[in-house]
Amino acid sequence: MTDGPSETASDGAAPHADVFVPPSAVSGAESTVVDLLTGMGWDVSVKSWPALRAGDQLSWLFLVALPVQAFLGGMGAKLADDAYRRLKALVGRPAQPATNGAPVVLQDTATGVRILLGPELDEEAYRRLRALDLTRSRNDTLRYDVTEARWVSVPDGSEGTGS
């Protein structure tokens, strides 16, 4: 199986992903996630997250809006491939001063489901993520509970990655 996307647009073009970068991000910090997606055959647009009001904080490093099932399917059945290693490196990167250990967030364009990807994820977490039926959840936020070894819904506003 290849690292290419498992779905393409109806016109045969590459599937599209939007990478939202918060205003506090270091210039060029998004290049790692953009390189990962373009290397997997995705068309990527980088967008700046709107300015925040005083006191507001984002709890993520990047928000990547894309068809999540197509993205995960594009990683192939073998999680030890190059795409998996690059995603794991992106998510497990040392925290930059502006990130405070914030996760990368995938947002499914079909369901609105947000998936928090933090450094605690292992191969089993990614296997379980690929097996999730995202159509059963709408506008939900999921994180991996290491102690229960499963993906769980988190209440709105508590998008941390801790267990």
Side-chain angles (χ1 to χ4, degrees):
M1 189 174 259
T2 68
D3 281 348
S6 62
E7 293 181 12
T8 57
S10 59
D11 62 1
H16 183 77
D18 290 318
V19 176
F20 291 91
V21 181
S24 62
V26 175
S27 178
E30 74 281 358
S31 64
T32 305
V33 71
V34 170
D35 291 347
L36 168 68
L37 292 167
T38 57
M40 292 176 65
W42 289 78
D43 173 48
V44 180
S45 295
V46 176
K47 300 179 178 188
S48 180
W49 194 257
L52 301 174
R53 297 182 308 242
D56 286 350
Q57 290 185 344
L58 294 176
S59 58
W60 45 266
L61 176 58
F62 300 110
L63 177 107
V64 182
L66 74 173
V68 171
Q69 295 295 341
F71 171 72
L72 295 173
M75 288 179 61
K78 185 178 178 189
L79 288 177
D81 66 9
D82 186 51
Y84 167 73
R85 285 191 304 276
R86 289 186 293 160
L87 178 62
K88 183 71 176 153
L90 170 67
V91 172
R93 82 233 165 270
Q96 299 170 3
T99 68
N100 296 322
V104 171
V105 179
L106 300 181
Q107 181 170 330
D108 187 52
T109 52
T111 63
V113 172
R114 288 185 176 183
I115 301 165
L116 307 177
L117 301 178
E120 76 283 0
L121 300 181
D122 58 11
E123 286 188 34
E124 183 60 24
Y126 285 102
R127 277 192 196 89
R128 290 177 186 263
L129 177 58
R130 290 187 59 204
L132 284 180
D133 179 3
L134 297 179
T135 62
R136 302 184 80 179
S137 302
R138 291 271 179 206
N139 299 313
D140 209 358
T141 300
L142 304 174
R143 71 162 175 81
Y144 192 70
D145 185 317
V146 176
T147 58
E148 294 187 26
R150 66 185 184 102
W151 288 91
V152 297
S153 178
V154 294
D156 287 341
S158 51
E159 294 183 354
T161 59
S163 320

